[in-house]
Structures are given as structure tokens and as C-alpha cells.
Amino acid sequence: MNKTLLQKLSTWTILLTMVVIILGAYTRLTDAGLGCPDWPGCYGFIKVPMTESRIAQAEMAFPERPLEPFKAWNEMIHRYFAGTLGLMIAAIFFISWFGKLRAPRLLPSVLAVLVIFQAALGAWTVTLSLLPIVVMAHLMGGFTLLCLLGLYWLQLRPELLQGMEPQLQKLKPLAILTTIVVALQIALGGWTAANYAALACLELPVCEPGWASRLALGEAFSLHLGYDDYEFGVMSQDARQTIHAFHRIGAGITLLITGLFSWLLWQQAKTALMKKLALALAAILLLQFVLGVLNIVLHLPLLNAVAHNFVGANLLLCMVVILYQLRHRTREQET
């Protein structure tokens, strides 16, 4: 019974994590990261103040940031869902450790620690006024949660790992490299968004003419500590263009390396599962590239930008699942 419960709980937790990632992107892209200037409540309340007396009380407490209900609700809805996700991961942790079933315990423990740290990052995002390194780390933490939950979901279903494909052994180094490249590109995308550089370049393929002569590497990749408020960014236009250009170049590198890996995996895989994973990776990669181009051509439409964030999370998840499958299947042959 515990196993069935954990299997269902892991599925729902993955789905909720995806919702939280979408809501987080929506919150960030609607400039609602400081919709509530305190944490974990909103202007000192557990929900967005709505009555005249509470609004007056809220604006008296935070005169530098007048209440904007739309932004405040975006932020609080994200927090409500994130809090529920934390409770579900806590449930997985306690059932894994104290239930009667001998379930995997390492990943639930890591997930519990990570979700606590993720909550801290969420608080620091507000208290440090959208400090870019914290915003980027918060995004990467959410993606990491999704990937680890995906691995835990697989651990609870060992029947999906049956079969050996020793010929895929030689693809493991490329799989590791591809996963690292995808993760770095996502981090670079997070750095682009956190520094409000998504619209710094509006021309294809890289940036406006002369971009290479205007590179500001030192400023672009500095932490810029010490500012009171980072909302809407503190970097110069040249620094933002530098970040954006590097993200586009990274997108090209990611497209080539990940595309090569998915093609080699499809060519060499024998089982239907691995071939489907190769095709899924290629499809997600292509969709992510198209969404990235549309962000530029259409000047960052909200739904497209949210989708770009969400598909990026699934691209990393797909690579992590493939890497786990390769490791399991080739290790079986070695033993």
C-alpha cells in the first residue's frame, strides 16, 4: 500500500512542480516578484489585502511600494502552490523513512533539504529585492527539484528499467556533456531574465550590428552586490546585450550538441523506450529553439516566454531521465 501511495504521490508532486515552475515564470515575467514586499505573507497579511482599511494599513507599512493587486495576487498564488509542493515533498520524506515499505530514502532526503533551501531562496528573492544571483538560483532550484522528482518516480517503478543495451555504453560521456550544456544554458537563460536582458537584442542571429565591439564581460557577469533594489535591472545596456548575446550563442551550441546526441541515441538504441526518449528529446529541443526565436521576433510575448521557461525545464528533465536510463542499462551489463 505504501508503494502505491508513494507512486501516486510522486506523480502528483511532479505535476505540481511543473505548475509551480509555470507560475514562477509567470510571476517573474509580469514583474510581480516584489508584488508582495515581505515574506511569507503579503503586506503583513496571509493573503492580499482587499478591504480599504487593510489596503491603507499595508501602504502605511510599505510606503515605498504601493499595493498593486494584480502583481500581489500573482506572487501569493505562486507562494500558495509552492507551499503545497513543500508539504507534498515532506509527505514523501516521512512515508519513505517511517512507512512499512523499504522505499528509496536518499532522494526523498535530498528533496526535503532542497525544498527547504528553495523556500529560503524564495524569501531572499523578496528580502534582497530580486538580487539576480538569487533569482537565478531560485529558478535552477525549481528545475533541480523537477529532475530529482523524475528520478524518484523512476526508482519507484523498476519495471520500466528492464532490458540492457550495452552498445549505448559509448554514448554515456556525450550524454553527460549534453546534460551539463543544457544545464549551463538554462542557467544563462536565468541570468538573462534576472538581469532584464531578454529584450536587449532584437535582431537575428545574435544581436544588433556591432555587438561584438560592445561586449562588457566584466559588468555582464558581475554579481553587482550592494544595491537596494534590483527590480528592472541595474546593468548598462551594453552589459545586457552581452548577456543576451552569450545566451543566443549558447542556444546554438546546445542545439548542435543535444541534436547530435538525440540522433546518435535514436540510431543506436534497440528498445522502443530508448528510441522514444531520443525522439522526445529531439522534439523538446526543436520546440525550445522555436520558442526562443519567437521570443525575439515577437518581442517576448508573455505566454510564449512562460512556455520557453517550462519547455527548458522539460528539456533538462528529459536529459536527466535518459542519463539515468543509460547508467542503469549499461551498468547491468557490467555486473
Side-chain angles (χ1 to χ4, degrees):
M1 181 176 178
N2 276 348
K3 182 177 180 180
T4 302
L5 176 61
L6 280 174
Q7 288 177 335
K8 291 181 179 179
L9 187 57
S10 67
T11 299
W12 284 106
T13 305
I14 287 174
L15 294 175
L16 181 58
T17 303
M18 291 181 175
V19 172
V20 170
I21 286 173
I22 291 171
L23 290 174
Y26 184 78
T27 300
R28 183 173 65 255
L29 289 162
T30 54
D31 298 321
L34 294 178
C36 295
D38 52 341
W39 191 93
C42 189
Y43 289 88
F45 301 99
I46 61 172
K47 66 176 185 177
V48 178
M50 298 297 292
T51 63
E52 289 186 8
S53 61
R54 289 197 169 190
I55 291 174
Q57 184 179 344
E59 295 187 342
M60 185 178 299
F62 297 92
E64 74 286 354
R65 192 165 290 277
L67 174 66
E68 296 181 70
F70 173 74
K71 292 184 178 182
W73 274 115
N74 283 355
E75 174 65 6
M76 286 309 295
I77 290 171
H78 177 229
R79 291 185 192 178
Y80 294 148
F81 275 84
T84 304
L85 175 61
L87 293 175
M88 293 178 71
I89 290 177
I92 289 175
F93 172 81
F94 282 108
I95 295 172
S96 299
W97 274 91
F98 304 109
K100 296 180 181 179
L101 179 70
R102 291 182 60 86
R105 292 178 174 179
L106 177 60
L107 272 179
S109 301
V110 174
L111 285 165
V113 172
L114 181 57
V115 80
I116 292 171
F117 183 59
Q118 186 71 347
L121 287 171
W124 295 335
T125 296
V126 176
T127 59
L128 296 177
S129 299
L130 304 180
L131 178 64
I133 188 64
V134 174
V135 174
M136 185 188 75
H138 194 44
L139 178 141
M140 295 302 295
F143 285 21
T144 303
L145 271 176
L146 178 64
C147 292
L148 292 180
L149 283 165
L151 292 182
Y152 183 65
W153 189 92
L154 285 173
Q155 282 189 349
L156 293 174
R157 295 163 176 82
E159 66 276 4
L160 297 179
L161 299 175
Q162 294 176 358
M164 296 178 293
E165 297 199 53
Q167 79 282 0
L168 298 180
Q169 172 76 25
K170 58 182 177 291
L171 287 183
K172 284 202 296 183
L174 182 57
I176 294 172
L177 174 63
T178 304
T179 304
I180 293 172
V181 168
V182 169
L184 289 175
Q185 175 63 4
I186 289 171
L188 190 52
W191 189 246
T192 302
N195 286 284
Y196 297 86
L199 292 176
C201 296
L202 297 176
E203 294 190 19
L204 295 170
V206 180
C207 199
E208 277 69 20
W211 65 269
S213 64
R214 296 191 299 271
L215 290 178
L217 293 173
E219 184 185 357
F221 296 101
S222 169
L223 296 183
H224 291 276
L225 303 176
Y227 288 84
D228 293 330
D229 193 342
Y230 295 88
E231 190 173 26
F232 306 117
V234 298
M235 291 187 183
S236 68
Q237 179 64 14
D238 284 351
R240 297 186 201 209
Q241 284 191 344
T242 301
I243 296 171
H244 192 114
F246 268 72
H247 184 52
R248 289 202 197 175
I249 293 169
I253 294 171
T254 304
L255 181 67
L256 290 174
I257 293 177
T258 310
L260 173 63
F261 172 74
S262 63
W263 181 75
L264 290 175
L265 181 62
W266 186 82
Q267 285 280 331
Q268 299 179 28
K270 303 298 182 184
T271 63
L273 174 62
M274 297 306 290
K275 283 189 173 292
K276 287 178 181 179
L277 284 173
L279 291 175
L281 179 65
I284 296 171
L285 176 67
L286 180 60
L287 176 59
Q288 181 70 343
F289 183 77
V290 170
L291 290 171
V293 172
L294 289 176
N295 272 343
I296 299 163
V297 174
L298 302 178
H299 294 184
L300 203 69
L302 178 59
L303 293 181
N304 192 86
V306 170
H308 189 56
N309 186 89
F310 177 65
V311 174
N314 281 274
L315 182 64
L316 183 60
L317 174 62
C318 189
M319 273 309 310
V320 168
V321 168
I322 289 173
L323 189 58
Y324 179 76
Q325 292 276 13
L326 287 176
R327 179 176 177 271
H328 177 85
R329 289 165 180 268
T330 54
R331 189 174 62 177
E332 272 191 347
Q333 180 67 14
E334 293 168 0
T335 56

